[in-house]
């Protein structure tokens, strides 16, 4: 497959976006392009033994710098697949995708993103701390700095004091928090998260959601976040992408600009929040009716 | 036996009947009592009973005292130690009687008594095996081995098995001591020279080729069937050929070992390299880690249990290979050479002593590897909590 010249790509997308906030954020970070992820007519077919599975079908998606985009949709609709395509862990079978104006492979080789997998994927022979230090080791960062960053991120996810434990000595939710700390330790501009809080209890989840939204606001990272929870999606996102089940298509892209950029847990009681949540739910229902 | 605090904590299923009387001990005491009515042996053709003028009654009193002490100990684990002393005393009795010149082959009372003592040992081991730490990991297996040796000694001497068929351990130990310089030279030639070099070369080559074959798929496809073929080659077939190729000294032995150990190591390494999960590999890929980094940081650590499996299998294969290969030509030293020449001379004590050295060496190698494995793969599910 061929990737088009990514530079042509931005121009097209920038003009399409018009007065969108992508332009405004472009002003703030003038050196970098306003568009972080640009996918056009993206399709992916898994060649399985019996019949090919179409996981993504003609997906168009533009993610602007500083956006917090949630992907929501029924199980098996291709959310993970889309994230994996962005991360260059999967090659699309048709269509184009550019990350920061580069091919996904170039972006991966430049370590532009941090990926939180659906499962913790910790290495059992490494302690919690050394697991978090793993990406830093590979980047060749000095030992003292590695340790400092690992400690900082573990503290952020509330796991101080567990540095010397092994992953199997932790609960499933704690393991997932370690994997979040590991992705954060990379300090990437683009954070790809596949249901990172799926295994957590409600209270910890609220706590980490709050942390995540504060981190996102403070650092201006671009986040792509997969979730099954409508409330979580609305609470965190600037935009919500509703996907339909097989073949995975984008049904609706919902803007959450009616909510303030600074989020606290009580915005969940506001009518704006309820309105957006309603629209997401309607979108999901629509997707299901296609299936029957 | 008194069952107090410590015991209830470990065994919540005890019934009240079990607590009231120690039926296990009663079951052991019954054959012991019956044994008292039977003879302990014969001297000069005359059958001797328990109280026929030997020291047997003293041993008997000692054992009874030990068992009573054990039964009245406040904790079952503490009681195990006096009981163990009782077992030891019981098994010392036949050795004492043998030294007195008694013929034990007709002493059915003694043998029945020893059966009871063995049952008591079973009980003691059951208790000790539940104690974590050194007791469970060192003392219990040690006692087990010692028990086998003592049983061997007593049975062989008691029933007067000809030494040419099976010598008692004491005689093997004596031969070991008497021939120590010769055996040490053999050990140095066979183990320290041939086995170690061949083992390192064979395992090293297996590891490196497996890593290559993992990278180059056609190598794996070509080599794996060859591995099955090679494992079917008998040592006695290749050993003479290797001696022709590489001469009498250690080189030919090392060559035999390389042939024997290469494929097990390669196959295990290949299997181990394949155990990394997709998500773990994806993680490395997302960090833009190349082939080498992924190998060192992920795939080799993941393969460690398999590597140790190969190394452990090979440690015994290497020893067998070297000893058998020495049958086909060697400088006049080496464990295989010693066995083949001393068998021909009917010098079976030295043969047994060499076998003992080989057995100890094999267990030593295996044990060292097992310890190393435990130290490096404590994270693996099969090793956790040990
Ligand atoms: N490696 C693969 N080979 C074949 N089919 C696959 C593969 N990975 C995913 N699929 C299929 O692609 C579809 C989309 O899978 P994907 O993992 O992206 O779903 P998802 O939206 O992340 O679901 P969930 O919410 O359950 O995680 C599914 O139907 C799945 O069966
Ligand atoms: Mg998924």
């Amino acid at each position: 497959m061929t990737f088009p010249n990514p530079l042509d790509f931005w121009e097209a997308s920038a003009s399409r976006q018009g007065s969108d906030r992508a332009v405004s954020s472009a002003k703030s970070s003038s050196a970098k392009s306003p568009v972080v992820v640009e996918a056009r007519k993206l399709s992916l077919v898994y060649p399985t033994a019996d019949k090919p599975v179409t996981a993504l079908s003609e997906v168009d998606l533009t993610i602007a710098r500083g956006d917090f985009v949630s992907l929501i949709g029924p199980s098996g609709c291709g959310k993970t697949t889309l994230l994996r395509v962005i991360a260059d862990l999967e090659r699309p079978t048709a269509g184009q995708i550019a990350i920061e104006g580069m091919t996904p492979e170039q972006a991966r080789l430049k370590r532009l993103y941090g990926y939180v997998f659906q499962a913790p994927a910790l290495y059992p022979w490494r302690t919690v701390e050394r697991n978090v230090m793993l990406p830093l080791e590979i980047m060749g960062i000095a030992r003292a700095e590695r340790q400092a960053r690992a400690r900082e991120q573990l503290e952020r996810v509330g796991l101080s004091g567990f540095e010397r434990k092994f992953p199997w000595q932790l609960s499933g939710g704690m393991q997932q928090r370690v994997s979040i700390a590991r992705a954060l330790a990379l300090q990437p501009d683009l954070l790809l998260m596949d249901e990172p809080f799926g295994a957590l209890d409600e209270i910890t989840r609220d706590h980490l959601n709050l942390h995540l939204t504060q981190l996102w606001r403070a650092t201006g990272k671009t986040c792509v976040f997969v979730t099954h929870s409508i409330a979580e999606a609305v609470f965190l996102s600037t935009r919500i992408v509703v996907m339909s089940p097989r073949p995975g298509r984008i049904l609706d892209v919902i803007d959450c600009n009616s909510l303030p950029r600074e989020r606290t847990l009580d915005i969940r009681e506001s009518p704006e929040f309820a309105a957006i949540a309603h629209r997401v739910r309607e979108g999901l229902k629509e997707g299901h009716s296609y299936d029957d | 036996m008194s069952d107090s605090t410590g015991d209830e904590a470990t065994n919540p299923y005890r019934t009240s009947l079990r607590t009231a009387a120690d039926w296990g001990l009663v079951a052991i005491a019954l054959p012991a009592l019956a044994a008292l009515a039977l003879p302990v042996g014969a001297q000069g053709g005359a059958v001797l009973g328990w109280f026929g003028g030997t020291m047997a009654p003293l041993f008997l009193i000692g054992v009874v005292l030990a068992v009573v002490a054990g039964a009245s100990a406040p904790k079952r684990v503490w009681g195990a130690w006096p009981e163990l002393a009782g077992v030891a005393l019981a098994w010392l009795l036949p050795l004492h009687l043998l030294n007195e010149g008694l013929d034990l082959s007709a002493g059915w009372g003694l043998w029945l008594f020893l059966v009871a003592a063995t049952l008591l040992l079973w009980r003691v081991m059951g208790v000790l095996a539940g104690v974590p730490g050194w007791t469970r990991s060192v003392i219990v297996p040690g006692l087990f081995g010692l028990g086998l040796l003592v049983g061997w000694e007593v049975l062989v001497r008691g029933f007067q098995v000809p030494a040419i068929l099976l010598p008692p351990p004491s005689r093997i130990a004596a031969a070991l001591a008497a021939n120590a310089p010769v055996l040490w030279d053999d050990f140095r030639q066979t183990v320290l020279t041939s086995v170690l070099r061949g083992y390192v070369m064979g395992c090293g080559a297996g590891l490196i080729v497996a890593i290559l074959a993992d990278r180059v798929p056609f190598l794996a496809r070509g080599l794996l069937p060859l591995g099955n073929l090679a494992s079917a080659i008998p040592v006695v077939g290749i050993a003479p050929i290797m001696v022709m190729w590489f001469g009498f000294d250690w080189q030919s032995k090392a060559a035999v070992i390389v042939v024997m150990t290469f494929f097990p190591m390669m196959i295990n390494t290949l299997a181990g390299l394949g155990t990394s999960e997709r998500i773990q590999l994806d993680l490395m890929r997302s960090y833009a880690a190349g082939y080498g980094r992924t190998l060192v940081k992920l795939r080799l650590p993941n393969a460690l249990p398999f590597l140790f499996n190969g190394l452990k299998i090979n440690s015994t294969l290497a020893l067998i290979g070297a000893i058998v290969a020495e049958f086909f030509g060697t400088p006049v030293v080496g464990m295989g050479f010693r066995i083949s020449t001393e068998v021909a001379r009917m010098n079976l004590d030295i043969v047994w002593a060499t076998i003992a050295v080989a057995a100890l060496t094999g267990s030593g190698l295996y044990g060292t590897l097992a310890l190393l494995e435990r130290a490096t793969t404590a994270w693996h599910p099969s090793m956790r909590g040990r």
Side-chain angles (χ1 to χ4, degrees):
Chain A
M1 66 167 306
T2 54
F3 288 96
N5 179 0
L7 287 169
D8 302 341
F9 227 29
W10 305 339
E11 274 153 28
S13 64
S15 60
R16 255 200 339 276
Q17 294 245 326
S19 65
D20 219 67
R21 27 180 311 263
V23 176
S24 63
S25 65
K27 279 176 198 143
S28 59
S29 56
S30 53
K32 292 178 176 172
S33 133
V35 176
V36 178
V37 178
E38 169 83 84
R40 286 246 307 261
K41 297 223 174 299
L42 202 64
S43 294
L44 193 146
V45 180
Y46 285 113
T48 49
D50 40 351
K51 69 178 172 67
V53 178
T54 308
L56 295 176
S57 162
E58 310 235 312
V59 167
D60 285 309
L61 183 65
T62 306
I63 298 175
R65 185 169 309 284
D67 248 354
F68 195 117
V69 173
S70 286
L71 306 178
I72 192 165
S75 181
C77 72
K79 306 181 293 294
T80 299
T81 305
L82 181 54
L83 221 53
R84 288 175 64 84
V85 169
I86 295 173
D88 188 39
L89 299 175
E90 216 77 67
R91 285 285 168 109
T93 37
Q96 291 120 28
I97 179 159
I99 316 292
E100 301 265 19
M102 289 175 270
T103 64
E105 182 173 15
Q106 289 165 333
R108 176 174 64 84
L109 293 177
K110 285 191 139 183
R111 303 188 178 108
L112 285 188
Y113 66 82
Y115 196 119
V116 179
F117 288 87
Q118 205 163 348
L122 301 173
Y123 292 176
W125 55 89
R126 286 177 165 252
T127 59
V128 163
E129 186 178 65
R130 293 195 56 233
N131 262 293
V132 177
M133 290 182 348
L134 174 71
L136 308 179
E137 245 170 79
I138 290 171
M139 287 166 70
I141 288 170
R143 199 188 152 72
E145 155 124 41
R146 282 202 310 251
Q147 186 146 16
R149 277 214 223 168
R151 294 256 154 117
E152 181 195 335
Q153 298 309 335
L154 280 173
E155 192 180 335
R156 190 190 289 281
V157 296
L159 284 177
S160 291
F162 290 90
E163 290 90 353
R164 301 251 169 270
K165 290 262 188 291
F166 283 92
W168 78 83
Q169 296 168 320
L170 266 50
S171 74
M174 288 159 95
Q175 291 179 20
Q176 191 60 2
R177 273 143 72 193
V178 176
S179 89
I180 294 166
R182 183 179 53 189
L184 290 177
L186 265 167
Q187 301 179 339
D189 283 341
L190 175 61
L191 203 50
L192 308 174
M193 287 174 282
D194 196 351
E195 295 185 44
F197 306 144
L200 301 183
D201 67 277
E202 200 82 11
I203 304 296
T204 315
R205 198 171 169 144
D206 281 353
H207 180 77
L208 286 174
N209 276 337
L210 204 56
H211 253 309
L212 182 60
T213 188
Q214 282 162 1
L215 176 87
W216 164 71
R217 205 160 21 81
T219 57
K221 285 185 198 304
T222 312
C223 297
V224 187
F225 187 92
V226 173
T227 179
H228 278 139
S229 156
I230 296 176
E232 191 172 70
V234 180
F235 176 72
L236 290 171
S237 313
T238 56
R239 287 196 303 153
I240 300 172
V241 174
V242 183
M243 293 180 70
S244 77
R246 267 156 291 173
R249 275 174 305 110
I250 293 183
L251 286 177
D252 198 1
V253 178
I254 301 163
D255 245 303
C256 304
N257 288 340
S258 55
L259 290 171
R261 207 168 157 83
E262 180 166 348
R263 313 263 165 108
T264 51
L265 287 175
D266 31 273
I267 64 153
R268 294 185 297 188
E269 320 296 333
S270 70
E272 290 86 1
F273 190 96
I276 297 170
H278 178 76
R279 202 174 141 195
V280 175
R281 184 167 288 112
E282 288 303 310
L284 285 172
K285 265 192 211 152
E286 191 188 338
H288 269 286
S289 65
Y290 277 89
D291 218 13
D292 305 329
Chain B
M1 167 139 306
S2 77
D3 295 297
S4 67
T5 49
D7 229 28
E8 260 118 48
T10 54
N11 188 359
Y13 301 111
R14 304 218 94 169
T15 61
S16 53
L17 190 65
R18 184 84 174 74
T19 340
D22 194 334
W23 295 109
L25 204 58
V26 172
I28 292 172
L30 284 178
L33 282 175
L36 292 182
L38 295 166
V40 290
Q43 194 161 33
V47 172
L48 280 185
W50 280 87
F51 304 99
T54 61
M55 303 262 274
L58 286 182
F59 280 86
L60 210 53
I61 292 169
V63 173
V64 169
L65 283 180
V67 170
V68 169
S72 52
K75 271 191 189 170
R76 188 138 182 215
V77 178
W78 297 353
W81 299 109
E83 281 181 13
L84 193 61
V87 174
L89 208 55
W91 276 94
L92 281 175
L93 174 59
L95 293 177
H96 167 73
L97 295 179
L98 281 168
N99 286 347
E100 296 286 296
L102 264 71
D103 171 12
L104 301 185
S105 53
W108 294 111
L110 181 67
W111 296 119
L112 195 56
F113 181 69
L114 290 179
V115 168
T118 309
L119 289 176
L120 187 62
L121 179 62
W122 183 292
R123 245 169 75 96
V124 171
M125 297 283 260
V127 173
L128 291 185
V131 182
W134 279 90
T135 314
R136 178 158 61 190
S137 60
V138 177
I139 296 183
V140 168
L143 281 177
F144 198 92
L146 190 68
L148 283 181
L149 282 180
V150 173
W152 173 1
E153 176 86 20
V154 167
L155 286 173
V156 166
R157 285 176 64 190
F159 289 102
Q160 290 153 11
V161 177
I164 203 114
L165 293 183
L166 183 64
S170 57
R171 204 168 148 162
I172 297 175
L176 211 64
N179 299 293
V182 176
L183 293 173
W184 168 247
D185 283 346
D186 291 346
F187 178 80
R188 214 168 43 192
Q189 168 72 17
T190 305
V191 177
L192 299 186
T193 309
S194 311
V195 168
L196 283 190
R197 290 179 193 180
Y199 182 73
V200 169
M201 287 192 272
C203 294
L207 181 76
I208 290 165
V209 172
I211 291 173
L212 267 178
D214 175 74
R215 194 88 216 258
V216 188
F218 79 82
L219 269 183
R221 291 202 179 278
L223 281 172
L224 279 176
L226 266 187
N228 293 326
L229 207 73
S231 64
I233 297 177
V235 209
V236 290
I238 50 163
I241 297 174
M242 291 302 150
V243 171
M244 281 198 289
W245 286 4
F246 296 105
F248 282 131
D249 209 354
W250 66 269
Q251 291 88 342
S252 57
K253 318 302 172 294
V256 171
I257 295 171
V258 168
V259 172
M260 288 178 77
T261 57
F262 174 79
F263 282 106
M265 191 65 198
M266 191 195 86
I267 289 166
N268 270 291
T269 309
L270 265 179
L273 287 176
T275 53
S276 295
E277 290 165 29
R278 190 168 92 133
I279 191 165
Q280 295 179 319
L281 290 164
D282 282 346
L283 188 74
M284 277 298 182
R285 195 173 145 86
S286 81
Y287 298 148
Y291 171 81
R293 287 277 180 75
T294 309
L295 187 70
V296 171
K297 298 239 182 258
L298 169 63
R299 301 181 68 211
L300 281 177
N302 239 340
L304 268 182
F306 285 79
L307 297 188
F308 273 107
N309 201 22
L311 288 175
K312 286 199 287 193
I313 294 171
N314 280 347
S315 72
T316 40
L317 279 182
L319 202 58
I320 295 170
I323 291 176
V324 172
E326 282 177 355
F327 273 62
F328 296 93
T330 174
V332 289
V333 63
M335 290 157 78
F337 167 80
R338 193 67 52 209
I339 291 174
S340 65
T341 50
E342 298 299 332
V343 162
R345 289 198 220 152
M346 294 303 267
N347 247 341
L348 287 161
D349 286 357
I350 298 188
V351 173
W352 279 99
T354 307
I355 291 174
V357 172
L360 285 176
T361 308
S363 336
L365 279 176
Y366 196 94
T368 311
L369 286 168
L371 281 180
L372 253 177
E373 176 178 27
R374 198 187 295 193
T376 53
T377 64
W379 51 271
H380 195 259
S382 66
M383 289 281 167
R384 286 177 202 164
R386 279 215 214 157

